[in-house]
Amino acid sequence: GALTRMMQVYSVQDDAIIVVDRMNRRAGQTLQVAKETAAELERQGEMLEKADRDLDHIEENLKRAGKKLNEIIRGIACYKLIIGFMTLVAIGILFFIIWKIVNKYLHC
């Protein structure tokens, strides 16, 4: 009796020790996975921050490019106005010359 009972207690105790060791190993593995996951999340967070900074930089460049484009468009419009005005002046001068010639021949 008592010896058998003692052996059963030791057997249960050995089984419990095996289970606790297995649980400790699983906890260690879980902790390792958690550390790796945290490191990966940190790396991905840094990548997202870099992407956000890059997007801000792109947005700034697009704004500057838009301003330059508007300046170019305004410059082109200004040049068109100048060319239009010069064309009107040239037509006016040509009209004046033709008018003088016609007046000269009409009064001869």
Side-chain angles (χ1 to χ4, degrees):
L3 183 59
T4 306
R5 196 52 117 183
M6 249 340 202
M7 290 185 67
Q8 286 176 342
V9 168
Y10 285 135
S11 175
V12 168
Q13 188 178 16
D14 287 344
D15 290 344
I17 290 172
I18 291 170
V19 168
V20 168
D21 284 344
R22 198 173 330 147
M23 288 173 61
N24 279 336
R25 280 194 306 274
R26 296 275 177 166
Q29 291 170 345
T30 302
L31 184 59
Q32 183 61 33
V33 168
K35 287 178 183 178
E36 290 170 3
T37 302
E40 179 64 19
L41 287 172
E42 184 176 344
R43 187 185 69 77
Q44 289 179 2
E46 290 169 358
M47 288 174 60
L48 286 173
E49 288 173 4
K50 183 185 179 310
D52 189 44
R53 285 191 305 270
D54 289 347
L55 285 174
D56 288 343
H57 186 67
I58 290 170
E59 184 179 358
E60 287 175 26
N61 287 342
L62 285 174
K63 284 180 183 177
R64 271 189 265 147
K67 287 179 184 178
K68 290 291 181 185
L69 187 58
N70 284 337
E71 288 175 16
I72 290 169
I73 289 170
R74 274 189 244 122
I76 290 171
C78 183
Y79 289 134
K80 283 184 177 182
L81 286 173
I82 291 170
I83 290 171
F85 181 71
M86 290 173 65
T87 303
L88 286 174
V89 169
I91 290 171
I93 291 170
L94 187 61
F95 178 75
F96 180 74
I97 292 170
I98 292 171
W99 181 71
K100 282 288 196 179
I101 292 171
V102 169
N103 267 343
K104 182 179 179 184
Y105 286 113
L106 287 178
H107 292 304
C108 285

